[in-house]
Amino acid sequence: MKFSTNWHFNNTVCELTPKKIEDKRGFFSEVYHQHFFEEIGIKEQFIQENYSYSKKQFTFRGLHFQNPPFEQAKLVRVLKGSVLDIVVDLRENSDSYLQHKIFELSQKNFKQVFIPVGFAHGFLTLEKDCEISYKVTNIYDAASDISLSVFDEALDIEVPCSRDQITLSDKDKNAKSIKTLDKLFFI
């Protein structure tokens, strides 16, 4: 098998660990294989790959999602460093609505996470100089991009640092609370 998998949120969010073929030179790994993904039920077509670099430890990016018709599924992995990758279920008809899951992704553990449409996503860097790569299934659309506050008490997300230690963009400093969102996903 090319990947080991661990499913969450009723088999919608998938934690994947690609198999490494190692020898004295290092290793080789397939980090994405469309046929395998389709076999396990991930049929989304990725159209873009993004690269994120964060200089400081405890940089938080997210919790982001895009409203329809620009919603995005994502496949996230860490190239350098380590992060806490956080997903929040925004599907109003889901049994796990507003629940979250935190995954530790790192260069060392080589894990990646598939996040389907209907989830907000963000990550907190656990060390400086983190590099993250993620594939998406739709283009970025600034008008439909939403930032949901990781500090929203209704979400009850705990991170291993204080709020004043976290570096945020202006967009994420002004993120919305779950109460102020107009409409969520009915998937």
Side-chain angles (χ1 to χ4, degrees):
M1 180 179 284
K2 296 176 187 291
F3 297 82
S4 64
T5 59
N6 191 9
W7 288 92
H8 304 274
F9 293 103
N10 297 317
N11 294 327
T12 56
V13 173
C14 187
E15 183 179 26
L16 302 110
T17 306
K19 180 181 175 185
K20 291 181 180 180
I21 301 168
E22 299 184 71
D23 63 23
K24 63 184 177 185
R25 300 168 296 169
F27 71 87
F28 170 83
S29 182
E30 292 180 8
V31 295
Y32 174 72
H33 190 279
Q34 182 178 353
H35 182 70
F36 172 79
F37 275 54
E38 288 174 354
E39 283 180 358
I40 64 169
I42 300 173
K43 297 183 182 349
E44 286 78 356
Q45 298 296 306
F46 296 103
I47 64 163
Q48 180 177 314
E49 185 164 1
N50 302 317
Y51 185 93
S52 172
Y53 168 72
S54 298
K55 289 191 278 189
K56 295 181 179 181
Q57 179 185 32
F58 302 138
T59 296
F60 189 80
R61 297 178 187 264
L63 298 160
H64 299 154
F65 66 96
Q66 291 187 172
N67 281 323
F70 296 101
E71 63 270 33
Q72 295 177 322
K74 297 178 182 178
L75 179 63
V76 181
R77 66 191 192 100
V78 171
L79 304 174
K80 181 180 178 193
S82 59
V83 304
L84 293 182
D85 200 76
I86 303 169
V87 296
V88 177
D89 190 347
L90 298 180
R91 302 167 301 155
E92 290 184 328
N93 295 335
S94 168
D95 291 341
S96 55
Y97 176 61
L98 297 185
Q99 292 179 19
H100 71 277
K101 176 90 175 136
I102 299 176
F103 302 90
E104 185 168 344
L105 305 180
S106 71
Q107 176 183 2
K108 289 182 181 179
N109 72 18
F110 209 56
K111 292 181 180 184
Q112 51 192 11
V113 175
F114 168 74
I115 305 148
V117 167
F119 287 79
H121 169 258
F123 60 86
L124 175 72
T125 61
L126 297 176
E127 54 192 279
K128 65 180 186 168
D129 296 321
C130 287
E131 299 176 20
I132 291 87
S133 175
Y134 58 100
K135 297 179 185 323
V136 294
T137 58
N138 207 339
I139 62 169
Y140 173 74
D141 182 74
S144 65
D145 186 31
I146 306 292
S147 182
L148 179 62
S149 177
V150 68
F151 305 114
D152 186 338
E153 291 180 8
L155 301 177
D156 196 31
I157 298 172
E158 292 183 28
V159 293
C161 58
S162 65
R163 188 175 185 160
D164 63 330
Q165 290 178 292
I166 296 177
T167 301
L168 295 165
S169 69
D170 288 340
K171 175 176 91 172
D172 293 339
K173 284 180 187 174
N174 298 310
K176 295 184 175 198
S177 71
I178 199 71
K179 292 178 190 174
T180 63
L181 293 179
D182 295 331
K183 176 186 172 193
L184 296 180
F185 295 91
F186 292 94
I187 297 171

